Amino acid sequence: MIIRASRPILPLNASRSLHPAFEQLQFPWLCPALLGSSALRSSRPTTTTTRRKPTHGQTVALRTNHGPVTGSTKAQRREFAYATGLDNNALNDDYVPFDNRGGSYDSQVPSQYSWSGRADLSELPIFDPTSPLIIHDSMRQAPRRFRVTNGIGGELSEIHQTLQACLRVGRIERAAATLRRLTAIYKLDAPELINAHNDYLASAIERVVETKDQALLRHVQWWFEVEIRALGILPNPKTYGLMLRASFQESNQLKIDRTIRRYIALAEHADLRDEALSTALNTLNSQEIGRVTRVCPTTFHSASDLQVDDNFDIQPAEEFLDTADQSQKYDIHPQQQKGLGLVALKKSLSVFEQATNFPPQDTFYSSEEARKKAVAYKRQESLERDTWTSALDRWRDEHNESLKRMGVNSGLQTKSVSAVMWTWHEALVPLIREEIMKSDESHLEKDSSKAGHERSAYGPFLQHISPEKLSAVTIINTLNRMSAMGIGKGSKVTVLVASLGKAVQDESIAEAVKGQSSSRYTRGLGTQERQKQLMRLIKRRLRHTLSSQPKAEPNSGVLVQEPSLDIDAHEWPPAVRAQLGAVLVSLLMKAAKIEVVRGDPDKNVTHKDTQPVFWNSFQYENGKRYGVIRMNAAMSAKVAKEPLSGALSKHLPMLVEPVPWTKYKQGGFLLPGVQVVRGGTQHTQLRDYIRAAADSGDMAQVFAGLDVLGRTPWQINKDVFYAMREVWNSGEALANLPAADPKVENPPEPGLSADLHERRGYAFKLKEAENTRAGMHSERCFFNFQLEVARAYLNETFYFPHNVDFRGRAYPIPPYLNHIGADNCRGLLKFGVGKELGESGLVWLKIHLANVFGYDKASFKERRDFATDHVKDVYDSANNPLKGSRWWLKAEDPWQCLATCIELKNALDLPDPTKFVSYLPVHQDGTCNGLQHYAALGGDAIGAKQVNLEPGDRPSDIYTAVAELVKNDIAKEATEGSPMAKLLEGKISRKVVKPTVMTNVYGVTFQGAKRQVASQIRDLYPTLASDSKTLMSVSYYITGKIFTALAAMFNGAHDIQYWLGECASRISEALTPEQIRWIEANAAGKDLESSISAKATNEVKNKNEYTRFRSSVIWTTPLKMPVVQPYRTSSSRTVKTNLQLISLNEPSASDPVSKRKQLQAFPPNFIHSLDATHMLLSALKCNEQGLSFAAVHDSFWTHAADLDTMNGVLRNAFISMHSEDIIGRLAAEFAARYKGCMYLAYVKTNSPLGKKITSLRRSIGSSRKAKSQSQVDELLLEKRRLRLLASEDPDEQAEGRAMVTPGKLFADTADEKDIMILEDLQGLEGVIGQVSSVESNDQETLDTLQPVLGSKQLFDDDAGAQAEIDPNDSAEAAVALKAVRAKAARDRRKIWFWLPLTFPPVPKKGDFNVFRLKDSKYFFS
């Protein structure tokens, strides 16, 4: 009874107040009979037409988008379909709700996609490749810059974001000035303009609601009438909805009804009434909704449509405070380390220990499980919120500790780093407050100086978070950035200010979304349900109206979506981020001081000196001058000894199951903001595609797969943790843990008589030693983070929310401790739920031991016997990991081996080991998974056998197979007398070839592969590496043999990889139909339609931007996720800051694509998208069958008892994918996606076709034109020829046939085989078996040159530059090298011409049948 009495009653009162209104209807504005009179328009007109409605003999003045209409101009409007007469015509009423004296966030919970009811999630979806999702964004404008007026200007996005920043911090006047600047830039009917006005109105109205400020309300009403309607800007439904909300803030109750009628009538006149009311209902409370129905009575279908569940109780948010007793924490030994890093983490995770955060035991919950869930969500919310607070608490505590120990004047030597950071914080906060005051004064006093304009630009952004938090972010980010670069090296100013600006932006975003937070998940759903019921009638009417609209005709079967016009208010302008970062760094340089105690040993005296911590200097790198922020040497030495513990609470593992993914930025953590697809600003185009795919439901299976991965519970393996902690505290270097004080000796300094070569060698070795020390220090810092996180979660069950990269590969979001990390991380983790081993589980646990030990190329029986044979070592490792024989340290993955030894020992201790409940994740790894996909795609029977797609008694090892082929080839050449072969005979092993084979499938270049081989040779055979020329020659020779061996095994895959590269080459030099239409219109003197009326300052620079190649390679994965390659050539922009001029790269979807990157990255990225699909499909099927599942790309984990089931799932998912024609489907998608495009094809200049094209151009004089103009002219000519040929008019067809163009010559005399393979494609040396283009064409010449050139290469494949002739080379070598280069140059000469974008025929597939995989037990093992 008490609960029911305390329940919120507003919705009930609203229900009661609505019923009398139903009985007093006067005009039925929601009557179904009137739908025709108020049907929604599918598109808004660009101008407002005038219509007349005779009502009581009166006329009304309306306004057009050309400005206010004078009193003599009478607008006409249609007649209202009243059921009865209405005395007061609101639109004709002279009442305007303001005197002519000048003048929230939407918390509705979006519906979540339900995956549980879908039975087809683990099956491949039906996908029609001829109808892909397409966003026509090739005409996206490059960022336009506008002249700065009164401190407002720059890029259009910057002006919009400045407006949002001003609104957020309450700078209404500055926001108004910014909005007027936007009004001067945009056309009046631009949707971006009215959206900006709506944002302004919404912010001002929110302040009116909070403060009841009637003067501000009058300003809002004045703005609507004068700055919007009087100027001819067309209000949209949101505008009217906002003004309806403002109506209820009138202090004069008599004005409210009249104001409501006016705005509803205005919306009715614009045919936006229903939409406006629907928008308004999201912000009005129940009584206000009731008042609307009384002021404008409405006919509802049935009063029963609105019902309230009297039995639904709402738990107030305060009732989720936690009081559970956590005093019985598992006792752990303290870790000895300097500083209070652990204290900081405990403060961050104080929800684990503080009794005040738990709900009272007598709080009502439907069940104990519900109470625990509420507690967990509250703790997680606190965990996500308390990032910077915990850091400040730590600094303060350590500072106070130092004062207690040493007195007030404690020096640097007696203070921890955190205590010193607290003194910086105390000095920095007042400086930040002063800077904020200056920015306010610059705005209020309208400072016209450059400094004033800069402060006006970044000032609003500086106030998004508190000065205290700004200080913490600045200090932590600066130190972390300098630690990452090497404390002694300093950090480039550009990198430091950009990262700091980004960190402040991210924290601002976190602050902005805290209002949303987890109230959706911790509170009852009653309010939501009642709101849905209150809105149901309007929504139903709206749906009915929309369904009555005519459907748009499909665009040739292709799903088309326009690019998003929304401007992300959370993403700050790069220039503002840089300026803000520079300001904060400069303030930190002023605030951060240290007291250094210096001594004079001769005089036995000491003195203290206060010095700045950071200072600015310059350094030169590759001939360029860079600004660098360096750290004081005394502080650097202190930081190097004491690892930094920053704000660890950012994206830690979750204490509750992650929020299901439903949108681009909705899922994972409770606080929104994390993107489902990783990537920065260069992924603008991908973001639009992912959002569109999510809205259309295409991302359903990807979202569901991420949810499955995120719902897997984890725990810390305490036994492994204790052993690891003991090693850590000892400072010993063990397994992959680096030593606390690594002994890295500097090389001996050469004597005075040393020559230049010796001195260079010394400098190189000295730098190498410094880099080694810095690297080991950084490693140890990161290990420290991981151990602290593990310690905090020692008694918790936790979860890893996942997201994906642009190719669809899944990654856990928490960065410090996760299962995708190194061996020590994986050894620390176990599943949060256990399963009995059973007979098969015990066998798999033994096999797993052999796998992590490194004995993974034997048969399953041999691996099982391996564990049995080493059972004594297993017991010794489990019982005495650090004091026994340490057998586990011999393993390839020692910490995972130790965890497996402990698990196996615990099982064997039981009378029946099969009854042991195991929590250990057991892995199944693919055999070079990328090659497995290639073998299946190409149907390569030999390759399939080497990667275990074919059944076999023993696992095949691709690395050993390649090594054997290379050895045999070398042995053959050795018998033929080859000096290089004799030198290498007997020296080729599996280790030499493994890195190259492993990365070949993912696009390693020939030069990259050569460096990999050189590294292996250097480690295995130091004598061969003693001479750098010999090492390079040997590496070159071996790399060529490896590529040749791969080509022999994977012939079909080689063809497919080359086909992928050729497709990417054509796409990246193609113009879209939209671009071609613009070029045609521009040639005819027509202007491009735009929503912008003002002229940009960079208009001339971007004059021909639409002639650039902008087509990215885009494809759809088998799970319907769109993949967009982000590689573009971005422009840079110089930004002036108070530190220095900074050059910023500003990636945009309007930038031209980087052809070389698009081409070379496509084959590996395509394979990555396939292995990502295989993993997510497997995850979904395992979830259906009740398995715990985790994955690290091509390594899949589950309980030992479920290994047999999971193996079956993996095989079936792979077969399901590759039983379809993946490459054929990709070709069909490309044909649909790039239909109508034209691309630049090339043939050799000295070919028959090349000579004809040259002759044609000379005959018409086009060869004398500039290349760019000649290309445009020929494009227009070829497009006209194709259009005429496609005409149904015989005369036009004849005219087209009579035209002679390079495309016509190609069609008559050549075919696909004559199209030249470009140098970029020849440089695609990651294709399986593809060796250097020069080597493949001139092998005989190279063999002749090799003895005289040594390690010299003809081409640097990474840079695409030719090798220079060394003056020390012999005359014979120089002549031979010149000859080869001259021949290569002649062969590379090419001539261009336009062709319709088509793609080469799909390569023929081999004989391998993927269904044979069904019986391959070593596919994943």
Side-chain angles (χ1 to χ4, degrees):
M1 291 297 295
I2 295 177
I3 296 172
R4 288 177 58 83
S6 62
R7 183 172 59 234
I9 60 174
L10 290 180
L12 291 175
N13 290 341
S15 176
R16 298 186 184 107
S17 65
L18 285 172
H19 282 283
F22 300 158
E23 300 168 0
Q24 300 172 11
L25 302 178
Q26 296 183 22
F27 66 98
W29 53 269
L30 281 183
C31 179
L34 302 181
L35 284 174
S37 65
S38 59
L40 297 179
R41 302 294 184 257
S42 59
S43 62
R44 293 294 309 276
T46 57
T47 59
T48 303
T49 58
T50 58
R51 293 173 296 180
R52 183 175 180 84
K53 176 231 176 236
T55 303
H56 302 293
Q58 299 178 351
T59 58
V60 170
L62 294 181
R63 295 174 175 86
T64 70
N65 64 350
H66 302 292
V69 178
T70 62
S72 60
T73 303
K74 302 299 183 180
Q76 300 193 11
R77 63 187 296 267
R78 62 178 174 75
E79 188 171 353
F80 280 112
Y82 289 103
T84 61
L86 183 65
D87 293 334
N88 296 319
N89 186 336
L91 192 62
N92 292 333
D93 195 345
D94 293 333
Y95 170 70
V96 177
F98 74 96
D99 52 16
N100 197 15
R101 290 175 288 185
S104 77
Y105 169 74
D106 182 2
S107 61
Q108 182 183 356
V109 180
S111 60
Q112 295 187 3
Y113 198 99
S114 174
W115 315 121
S116 57
R118 292 279 301 276
D120 59 341
L121 283 175
S122 62
E123 304 296 332
L124 285 175
I126 298 174
F127 172 60
D128 180 6
T130 63
S131 181
L133 172 67
I134 299 176
I135 296 178
H136 291 306
D137 57 357
S138 61
M139 296 299 291
R140 192 191 297 262
Q141 286 187 333
R144 295 295 195 263
R145 298 191 184 97
F146 295 90
R147 192 178 307 279
V148 176
T149 304
N150 296 326
I152 304 170
E155 290 186 2
L156 194 55
S157 61
E158 293 178 4
I159 303 175
H160 275 281
Q161 290 154 338
T162 300
L163 171 65
Q164 298 295 331
C166 292
L167 294 176
R168 181 171 170 184
V169 299
R171 287 191 177 183
I172 297 296
E173 292 182 7
R174 178 73 175 177
T178 304
L179 194 48
R180 290 189 178 101
R181 185 76 177 95
L182 287 173
T183 303
I185 292 173
Y186 279 113
K187 293 180 179 178
L188 296 179
D189 59 352
E192 298 92 339
L193 182 58
I194 188 58
N195 290 338
H197 279 279
N198 287 343
D199 291 340
Y200 178 80
L201 292 176
S203 179
I205 292 170
E206 195 64 39
R207 292 189 64 186
V208 172
V209 172
E210 294 174 359
T211 63
K212 307 303 180 184
D213 186 344
Q214 294 298 298
L216 183 56
L217 176 61
R218 294 290 170 266
H219 172 76
V220 167
Q221 295 165 341
W222 176 87
W223 190 275
F224 172 77
E225 299 292 346
V226 176
E227 296 286 349
I228 297 180
R229 294 189 69 237
L231 293 181
I233 300 173
L234 299 175
N236 62 16
K238 185 176 180 181
T239 316
Y240 293 118
L242 289 168
M243 297 312 297
L244 279 173
R245 187 187 184 202
S247 303
F248 288 95
Q249 309 311 314
E250 287 277 4
S251 59
N252 184 348
Q253 294 295 311
L254 298 177
K255 289 185 178 181
I256 295 179
D257 293 355
R258 200 173 182 187
T259 307
I260 291 172
R261 279 194 293 269
R262 173 175 174 77
Y263 293 133
I264 288 181
L266 288 172
E268 162 70 20
H269 175 78
D271 288 331
L272 297 174
R273 183 191 56 205
D274 294 342
E275 294 165 292
L277 288 169
S278 179
T279 302
L281 288 182
N282 287 319
T283 59
L284 301 181
N285 61 35
S286 305
Q287 286 88 346
E288 290 167 345
I289 294 172
R291 186 162 187 168
V292 171
T293 62
R294 287 193 298 271
V295 172
C296 299
T298 307
T299 300
F300 287 87
H301 297 300
S302 170
S304 62
D305 282 340
L306 186 64
Q307 297 178 356
V308 179
D309 183 3
D310 291 335
N311 297 318
F312 197 95
D313 293 315
I314 301 175
Q315 292 286 354
E318 292 75 7
E319 293 187 5
F320 293 108
L321 297 177
D322 225 330
T323 58
D325 184 9
Q326 286 285 306
S327 60
Q328 302 299 322
K329 295 272 291 182
Y330 196 99
D331 186 29
I332 60 174
H333 299 167
Q335 177 177 344
Q336 299 300 321
Q337 55 180 310
K338 190 171 183 179
L340 298 177
L342 175 62
V343 174
L345 193 58
K346 284 186 175 179
K347 286 182 179 294
S348 298
L349 307 174
S350 58
V351 291
F352 296 161
E353 299 177 358
Q354 295 179 7
T356 57
N357 282 341
F358 288 80
Q361 296 295 330
D362 58 351
T363 301
F364 174 79
Y365 290 94
S366 59
S367 65
E368 178 61 17
E369 182 180 354
R371 192 196 72 84
K372 289 181 178 179
K373 187 174 182 180
V375 168
Y377 274 106
K378 189 64 180 179
R379 296 165 73 202
Q380 177 62 31
E381 182 181 353
S382 178
L383 182 65
E384 294 182 27
R385 288 177 182 272
D386 294 341
T387 303
W388 304 107
T389 304
S390 65
L392 293 175
D393 288 346
R394 176 200 173 180
W395 300 348
R396 185 189 307 108
D397 292 346
E398 293 204 17
H399 177 70
N400 293 337
E401 282 291 319
S402 66
L403 295 182
K404 290 179 183 177
R405 291 195 307 267
M406 303 301 299
V408 175
N409 295 320
S410 58
L412 177 65
Q413 286 77 10
T414 61
K415 288 184 179 181
S416 69
V417 171
S418 294
V420 175
M421 289 161 71
W422 176 253
T423 63
W424 302 350
H425 173 71
E426 288 186 312
L428 182 57
V429 169
L431 293 178
I432 294 175
R433 288 201 176 101
E434 182 182 352
E435 183 64 26
I436 293 174
M437 290 179 62
K438 288 180 180 178
S439 70
D440 286 338
E441 291 170 0
S442 297
H443 160 61
L444 295 175
E445 297 174 8
K446 298 184 178 179
D447 187 352
S448 59
S449 66
K450 287 187 176 180
H453 285 169
E454 289 177 4
R455 282 198 172 100
S456 297
Y458 67 72
F461 298 90
L462 196 61
Q463 301 179 46
H464 277 203
I465 55 180
S466 67
E468 291 77 13
K469 189 169 289 187
L470 266 178
S471 172
V473 173
T474 301
I475 293 171
I476 289 176
N477 187 81
T478 301
L479 288 180
N480 284 345
R481 173 58 56 180
M482 300 191 79
S483 296
M485 303 302 295
I487 288 294
K489 296 180 179 179
S491 176
K492 291 181 181 177
V493 173
T494 303
V495 175
L496 181 59
V497 301
S499 68
L500 179 54
K502 179 71 163 53
V504 175
Q505 172 198 273
D506 291 345
E507 189 56 32
S508 170
I509 293 174
E511 287 286 316
V513 301
K514 278 184 179 179
Q516 306 172 44
S517 69
S518 60
S519 60
R520 296 178 280 184
Y521 312 106
T522 59
R523 297 185 182 183
L525 299 177
T527 303
Q528 300 169 28
E529 292 300 324
R530 292 186 175 107
Q531 182 71 356
K532 288 177 182 177
Q533 291 184 40
L534 288 170
M535 294 181 65
R536 182 183 300 161
L537 302 175
I538 298 294
K539 294 283 187 180
R540 180 185 300 163
R541 161 71 180 264
L542 209 51
R543 284 195 299 270
H544 185 277
T545 304
L546 289 172
S547 65
S548 66
Q549 300 302 310
K551 300 296 187 295
E553 292 296 326
N555 186 4
S556 302
V558 179
L559 176 59
V560 179
Q561 181 154 334
E562 294 301 318
S564 171
L565 295 176
D566 295 338
I567 295 175
D568 193 342
H570 293 316
E571 289 290 336
W572 294 357
V576 168
R577 291 204 302 261
Q579 290 174 329
L580 197 61
V583 167
L584 292 173
V585 169
S586 62
L587 295 179
L588 178 61
M589 292 171 68
K590 292 180 183 178
K593 309 288 182 182
I594 56 171
E595 194 175 69
V596 180
V597 179
R598 300 183 179 274
D600 188 338
D602 295 333
K603 299 181 180 180
N604 196 25
V605 295
T606 60
H607 62 88
K608 298 179 179 179
D609 184 20
T610 300
Q611 300 177 355
V613 176
F614 304 101
W615 51 283
N616 198 357
S617 67
F618 295 93
Q619 70 180 28
Y620 288 89
E621 186 176 305
N622 297 328
K624 294 184 179 180
R625 186 185 183 192
Y626 294 95
V628 179
I629 302 294
R630 299 188 184 277
M631 185 182 289
N632 185 290
M635 191 68 199
S636 296
K638 188 171 187 65
V639 172
K641 294 179 182 178
E642 183 181 338
L644 296 172
S645 294
L648 293 179
S649 300
K650 207 70 175 176
H651 294 166
L652 282 169
M654 296 183 68
L655 301 174
V656 297
E657 289 187 2
V659 178
W661 284 104
T662 56
K663 292 184 179 179
Y664 181 73
K665 280 190 177 181
Q666 190 166 309
F669 291 97
L670 300 188
L671 296 181
V674 177
Q675 300 173 165
V676 71
V677 178
R678 299 177 172 219
T681 53
Q682 73 272 23
H683 290 80
T684 303
Q685 192 179 21
L686 173 66
R687 179 189 63 198
D688 288 342
Y689 268 92
I690 295 298
R691 284 176 170 167
D695 291 343
S696 65
D698 286 349
M699 292 290 290
Q701 286 177 276
V702 174
F703 286 168
L706 292 176
D707 294 343
V708 169
L709 296 174
R711 285 199 299 265
T712 300
W714 296 89
Q715 292 178 355
I716 298 296
N717 191 321
K718 294 180 181 179
D719 295 318
V720 175
F721 172 79
Y722 293 147
M724 197 176 294
R725 184 199 59 184
E726 189 173 342
V727 173
W728 175 265
N729 288 341
S730 72
E732 177 187 3
L734 192 75
N736 65 336
L737 295 185
D741 188 17
K743 305 299 181 184
V744 181
E745 302 293 338
N746 287 336
E749 189 173 356
L752 297 177
S753 61
D755 60 17
L756 182 61
H757 178 74
E758 288 178 313
R759 290 190 174 279
R760 283 180 176 174
Y762 165 75
F764 176 79
K765 291 179 180 178
L766 181 63
K767 186 175 182 180
E768 197 174 51
E770 291 174 351
N771 290 340
T772 301
R773 278 192 294 268
M776 295 180 74
H777 169 70
S778 296
E779 258 190 90
R780 190 162 174 88
C781 289
F782 194 69
F783 277 115
N784 192 34
F785 288 165
Q786 292 172 332
L787 284 173
E788 287 190 5
V789 173
R791 182 172 184 169
Y793 283 83
L794 200 58
N795 300 298
E796 302 293 333
T797 296
F798 50 91
Y799 304 83
F800 296 124
H802 284 63
N803 60 3
V804 296
D805 66 10
F806 73 95
R807 300 160 301 188
R809 300 191 98 189
Y811 297 84
I813 300 174
Y816 297 113
L817 182 68
N818 58 57
H819 58 288
I820 208 172
D823 172 55
N824 62 302
C825 290
R826 299 184 185 189
L828 281 171
L829 295 172
K830 64 180 183 178
F831 286 136
V833 295
K835 282 193 176 182
E836 279 191 7
L837 284 176
E839 293 288 346
S840 67
L842 183 59
V843 172
W844 278 115
L845 187 59
K846 292 179 179 180
I847 293 173
H848 180 64
L849 177 64
N851 287 345
V852 295
F853 195 85
Y855 188 67
D856 55 345
K857 300 301 176 283
S859 68
F860 287 146
K861 181 180 183 306
E862 290 168 338
R863 292 185 228 180
R864 184 181 59 199
D865 293 342
F866 172 87
T868 303
D869 294 342
H870 289 86
V871 68
K872 290 185 179 180
D873 294 320
V874 169
Y875 268 82
D876 179 74
S877 298
N879 292 327
N880 301 291
L882 301 178
K883 297 179 181 179
S885 64
R886 295 188 174 189
W887 174 79
W888 60 279
L889 287 177
K890 299 176 184 178
E892 191 173 282
D893 298 312
W895 293 110
Q896 294 176 79
C897 181
L898 176 60
T900 309
C901 287
I902 294 170
E903 196 83 351
L904 183 57
K905 176 258 180 188
N906 291 338
L908 295 177
D909 281 345
L910 295 182
D912 184 359
T914 63
K915 298 297 183 182
F916 177 73
V917 178
S918 174
Y919 289 77
L920 189 74
V922 178
H923 315 171
Q924 293 286 274
D925 298 343
T927 306
C928 199
N929 190 237
L931 283 175
Q932 288 179 326
H933 283 288
Y934 265 126
L937 290 172
D940 291 310
I942 297 176
K945 182 175 180 61
Q946 297 303 325
V947 291
N948 294 307
L949 298 186
E950 283 277 7
D953 296 331
R954 298 181 60 81
S956 297
D957 180 22
I958 181 64
Y959 311 117
T960 300
V962 171
E964 288 299 320
L965 285 178
V966 173
K967 281 194 290 187
N968 293 339
D969 202 9
I970 290 176
K972 179 182 177 183
E973 292 187 5
T975 60
E976 297 171 354
S978 169
M980 184 67 72
K982 289 181 178 180
L983 180 65
L984 292 172
E985 196 169 16
K987 293 183 174 64
I988 303 301
S989 65
R990 182 179 185 272
K991 287 186 177 181
V992 172
V993 306
K994 181 176 179 180
T996 303
V997 174
M998 185 186 304
T999 56
N1000 184 280
V1001 67
Y1002 293 127
V1004 66
T1005 65
F1006 190 85
Q1007 287 294 316
K1010 189 177 69 174
R1011 286 191 291 268
Q1012 291 173 337
V1013 172
S1015 177
Q1016 297 299 98
I1017 294 293
R1018 190 182 293 113
D1019 293 339
L1020 297 172
Y1021 306 108
T1023 55
L1024 286 178
S1026 59
D1027 179 70
S1028 59
K1029 286 190 175 182
T1030 302
L1031 178 62
M1032 288 299 102
S1033 298
V1034 165
S1035 304
Y1036 181 88
Y1037 178 82
I1038 295 174
T1039 303
K1041 298 298 182 186
I1042 294 173
F1043 276 51
T1044 302
L1046 284 170
M1049 290 183 180
F1050 298 92
N1051 183 59
H1054 169 274
D1055 294 341
I1056 286 175
Q1057 206 167 20
Y1058 221 85
W1059 180 84
L1060 293 172
E1062 174 63 19
C1063 290
S1065 175
R1066 297 186 183 189
I1067 291 170
S1068 57
E1069 279 203 316
L1071 293 177
T1072 66
E1074 294 78 28
Q1075 289 177 284
I1076 296 171
R1077 283 195 291 270
W1078 179 87
I1079 292 173
E1080 291 175 329
N1082 189 56
K1086 299 178 181 178
D1087 293 329
L1088 179 70
E1089 291 186 7
S1090 173
S1091 61
I1092 297 173
S1093 59
K1095 186 173 182 179
T1097 57
N1098 59 344
E1099 200 78 43
V1100 175
K1101 178 181 177 182
N1102 296 316
K1103 181 178 180 181
N1104 296 317
E1105 63 177 316
Y1106 300 120
T1107 62
R1108 301 168 185 164
F1109 297 121
R1110 293 178 166 186
S1111 299
S1112 294
V1113 180
I1114 304 172
W1115 70 97
T1116 307
T1117 73
L1119 289 182
K1120 300 183 75 173
M1121 174 182 168
V1123 180
V1124 181
Q1125 292 199 145
Y1127 314 115
R1128 295 179 178 272
T1129 304
S1130 60
S1131 58
S1132 60
R1133 175 186 175 190
T1134 300
V1135 177
K1136 184 178 180 181
T1137 70
N1138 60 347
L1139 287 176
Q1140 66 174 55
L1141 291 176
I1142 292 177
S1143 181
L1144 297 177
N1145 281 329
E1146 299 183 330
S1148 167
S1150 63
D1151 294 329
V1153 296
S1154 172
K1155 178 180 178 180
R1156 186 177 182 86
K1157 290 182 179 179
Q1158 289 279 345
L1159 184 157
Q1160 294 190 340
F1162 178 41
N1165 285 340
F1166 181 71
I1167 295 301
H1168 278 307
S1169 70
L1170 293 184
D1171 68 40
T1173 297
H1174 179 234
M1175 189 275 288
L1176 289 175
L1177 271 180
S1178 302
L1180 291 167
K1181 178 57 74 173
C1182 286
N1183 180 65
E1184 283 184 9
Q1185 300 193 17
L1187 276 63
S1188 295
F1189 183 87
V1192 182
H1193 303 321
D1194 62 348
S1195 177
F1196 300 160
W1197 303 8
T1198 191
H1199 289 95
D1202 294 329
L1203 251 295
D1204 290 326
T1205 303
M1206 187 182 76
N1207 277 332
V1209 168
L1210 301 184
R1211 287 192 291 269
N1212 290 335
F1214 194 90
I1215 292 170
S1216 175
M1217 287 176 57
H1218 287 282
S1219 58
E1220 299 184 358
D1221 184 5
I1222 293 177
I1223 299 299
R1225 183 172 61 188
L1226 178 65
E1229 180 183 346
F1230 278 171
R1233 184 177 296 282
Y1234 299 104
K1235 182 179 180 181
C1237 293
M1238 301 286 290
Y1239 83 104
L1240 279 180
Y1242 298 86
V1243 295
K1244 290 184 177 181
T1245 305
N1246 56 6
S1247 67
L1249 177 59
K1251 293 176 181 178
K1252 289 183 179 180
I1253 294 175
T1254 302
S1255 176
L1256 173 64
R1257 287 174 179 164
R1258 285 175 180 168
S1259 67
I1260 62 177
S1262 63
S1263 60
R1264 293 188 294 272
K1265 294 182 179 180
K1267 182 180 178 181
S1268 59
Q1269 184 59 46
S1270 179
Q1271 287 184 346
V1272 170
D1273 291 345
E1274 288 196 15
L1275 172 66
L1276 296 175
L1277 195 63
E1278 182 64 23
K1279 194 65 180 176
R1280 171 174 169 75
R1281 186 181 76 88
L1282 295 175
R1283 191 175 292 116
L1284 291 172
L1285 291 176
S1287 172
E1288 296 181 357
D1289 186 339
D1291 293 337
E1292 291 186 349
Q1293 291 178 5
E1295 182 183 353
R1297 287 191 294 270
M1299 294 176 66
V1300 180
T1301 66
K1304 163 76 169 176
L1305 296 176
F1306 173 81
D1308 291 343
T1309 63
D1311 57 25
E1312 283 275 352
K1313 293 181 292 186
D1314 294 298
I1315 295 178
M1316 187 177 178
I1317 299 174
L1318 300 184
E1319 185 177 342
D1320 282 339
L1321 190 56
Q1322 291 174 341
L1324 186 67
E1325 292 163 338
V1327 294
I1328 298 172
Q1330 175 66 27
V1331 295
S1332 171
S1333 58
V1334 176
E1335 180 177 347
S1336 61
N1337 294 330
D1338 299 282
Q1339 183 64 56
E1340 183 178 349
T1341 307
L1342 285 177
D1343 290 341
T1344 304
L1345 288 177
Q1346 196 63 50
V1348 292
L1349 290 180
S1351 62
K1352 189 177 298 301
Q1353 299 303 313
L1354 299 183
F1355 296 95
D1356 178 356
D1357 296 287
D1358 283 344
Q1362 297 187 19
E1364 297 295 331
I1365 297 176
D1366 193 324
N1368 297 323
D1369 286 340
S1370 65
E1372 178 188 0
V1375 171
L1377 181 58
K1378 284 183 178 179
V1380 172
R1381 289 174 58 183
K1383 182 179 183 300
R1386 287 194 302 272
D1387 290 341
R1388 288 197 306 272
R1389 288 175 186 166
K1390 58 185 182 290
I1391 190 167
W1392 58 266
F1393 61 100
W1394 292 101
L1395 283 179
L1397 180 53
T1398 57
F1399 299 96
V1402 174
K1404 186 178 178 182
K1405 196 170 183 177
D1407 299 329
F1408 172 69
N1409 185 350
V1410 74
F1411 286 93
R1412 291 180 58 79
L1413 172 62
K1414 198 83 172 176
D1415 300 321
S1416 176
K1417 59 183 178 181
Y1418 293 109
F1419 169 54
F1420 269 67
S1421 62

